[in-house]
């Protein structure tokens, strides 16, 4: 089970609340898909983006993230 701290945006993995380190990949060439309803709210953007990744954790292929799970 995963928990996301709404104040910090950190992901914690149960049962020991182990911190899951996920760093966004910087890609300045990435095309923007449009205006998001929460644009300008950086923490909400972090929380939502981090919630999407573990929501389908069977598709995670990054070895750094997998080694933490």
């Amino acid at each position: 089970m995963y928990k996301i701290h709404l104040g910090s945006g950190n992901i914690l993995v149960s049962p020991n609340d182990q911190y899951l380190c996920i760093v966004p990949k910087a890609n300045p060439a990435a095309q923007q898909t449009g205006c998001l309803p929460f644009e300008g709210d950086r923490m909400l953007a972090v929380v939502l983006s981090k919630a999407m990744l573990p929501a389908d954790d069977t598709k995670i292929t990054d070895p750094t993230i997998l080694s933490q799970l």
Side-chain angles (χ1 to χ4, degrees):
M1 178 188 336
Y2 304 97
K3 296 186 270 185
I4 300 177
H5 187 275
L6 297 178
S8 66
N10 292 336
I11 297 178
L12 305 173
V13 183
S14 292
N16 301 325
D17 287 343
Q18 178 181 345
Y19 173 73
L20 178 60
C21 181
I22 298 177
V23 179
K25 186 175 184 178
N27 186 358
Q31 183 178 9
Q32 297 295 326
T33 57
C35 180
L36 300 173
F38 50 84
E39 190 170 337
D41 187 342
R42 174 90 176 115
M43 187 52 63
L44 181 58
V46 168
V47 168
L48 291 176
S49 66
K50 286 188 175 183
M52 291 180 211
L53 183 71
D56 196 6
D57 60 1
T58 60
K59 293 184 180 177
I60 297 173
T61 58
D62 185 290
T64 304
I65 296 172
L66 288 174
S67 69
Q68 298 176 70
L69 299 177

